[in-house]
Amino acid sequence: MDRVELGGFLRSRRARLRPADVGLAPGPRRQTPGLRRPEVALLAGISVDYYVRLEQGRGPRPSEQVLTALGRALRLTADEHAYLRRLAHPAPEPPSRPVPGNVLRLLDRLGDVPAMVIDAGYDMVAWNPMLAALIGDPAAWPPRRRNRLRRLFDTGDAITGNRLELARLCVADLRAGGRYPADPVVRSLVDELLEESPEFARLWAWREVVVQRTLTKRTLHPVAGPLELDCEILAVPGHEHRLLVYTAAPGSPSAEGLKRLLTA
């Protein structure tokens, strides 16, 4: 059980709520934003002392019933509730395995759209020629640069028009994955970015938790021109890997741009 992160997550979710959000009167002289601890305890039906100890990282492991009550009291989303449950009852991480052959075959069949496979630490582990045409050939890059998060926090990237938006969404997704801090690779990546990027540190401190399933990437390509691409993020069942596929609306300028990439 990660008591420190669980306490920090509860504090962050409490701070974002106002009394009116949960049907409580605001009352006089509120010195801090968000709900007070006794208010959360009341809404969850647990003792104030127990809730205080949870926030301070001193409490016992909460039961499923308590976690459900806290999720309801703090108005957690499904992704946030799942994250809270993993903090209290972490499951063993599945062993790291190679990309399944069927996923690699699917990647090869996606000849007219950019696609890649990433692992739990956001490293690019496989890609197709169209992805290389879109962003450059990752095989020619140092291994460290093949990490999508590192690339998003590279402030020299002037190509991705919505880099800051994508960075926020990917940080929320990294936390939602539930592999921090148990996975040493993910923990090392987070520690590195916390030290090197004030932008990452600010986003990480928000403790935003959202599993990303669809993203929009805007970029200006020297051959394809302005592109707005929908990125579908497909989980590989039983594996840490995910398949990312970039498509454009049929008949759109971006779709025509992808055709130019295909024939370039």
Side-chain angles (χ1 to χ4, degrees):
M1 171 177 167
D2 188 348
R3 287 180 170 81
V4 173
E5 178 57 26
L6 187 145
F9 183 64
L10 291 174
R11 290 192 301 273
S12 70
R13 301 306 91 170
R14 175 169 63 87
R16 74 178 180 179
L17 290 174
R18 298 171 299 174
D21 295 332
V22 294
L24 296 175
R29 301 182 60 184
R30 301 188 73 91
Q31 298 178 352
T32 57
L35 298 180
R36 297 186 175 109
R37 288 168 172 170
E39 291 170 334
V40 176
L42 173 66
L43 291 167
I46 60 179
S47 73
V48 177
D49 177 68
Y50 180 31
Y51 181 74
V52 169
R53 284 187 290 142
L54 284 177
E55 276 204 4
Q56 293 178 344
R58 300 186 294 110
R61 187 188 306 272
S63 66
E64 289 291 336
Q65 182 179 5
V66 168
L67 294 171
T68 299
L70 286 171
R72 183 173 58 249
L74 294 169
R75 303 297 194 265
L76 300 186
T77 66
D79 288 342
E80 290 171 336
H81 196 188
Y83 180 67
L84 180 66
R85 292 178 67 240
R86 282 196 298 269
L87 290 175
H89 301 276
E93 293 294 341
S96 180
R97 291 177 285 176
V99 181
N102 61 322
V103 175
L104 294 176
R105 290 192 295 273
L106 177 60
L107 189 65
D108 288 339
R109 294 295 299 272
L110 296 171
D112 58 349
V113 294
M116 64 177 153
V117 179
I118 63 171
D119 62 16
Y122 269 68
D123 281 329
M124 302 164 59
V125 293
W127 51 89
N128 66 359
M130 275 291 283
L131 191 282
L134 177 65
I135 66 172
D137 186 3
W141 304 343
R144 187 176 182 277
R145 183 165 165 72
R146 295 176 202 154
N147 184 275
R148 291 190 71 237
L149 269 181
R150 289 194 185 99
R151 286 174 56 83
L152 283 171
F153 287 96
D154 177 3
T155 56
D157 176 12
I159 297 177
T160 305
N162 59 333
R163 180 184 66 83
L164 293 178
E165 176 191 356
L166 289 177
R168 179 182 67 81
L169 295 174
C170 289
V171 169
D173 179 79
L174 181 69
R175 192 183 284 279
R179 300 179 75 101
Y180 178 85
D183 186 323
V185 173
V186 175
R187 185 174 66 248
S188 176
L189 175 65
V190 170
D191 289 346
E192 172 192 317
L193 290 172
L194 284 173
E195 182 176 347
E196 295 181 355
S197 171
E199 191 172 81
F200 176 86
R202 176 177 58 84
L203 294 173
W204 188 251
W206 285 359
R207 288 187 164 88
E208 188 176 5
V209 175
V210 185
V211 175
Q212 302 302 326
R213 300 170 177 89
T214 301
L215 299 172
T216 299
K217 178 184 176 70
R218 300 181 186 91
T219 188
L220 180 60
H221 193 274
V223 173
L227 295 174
E228 181 170 314
L229 304 176
D230 295 322
C231 175
E232 301 300 325
I233 305 174
L234 309 174
V236 179
H239 286 255
E240 65 175 286
H241 302 101
R242 288 181 289 176
L243 175 65
L244 279 63
V245 182
Y246 295 88
T247 63
S252 67
S254 295
E256 294 303 313
L258 287 181
K259 290 180 183 179
R260 287 194 292 275
L261 277 184
L262 188 62
T263 58

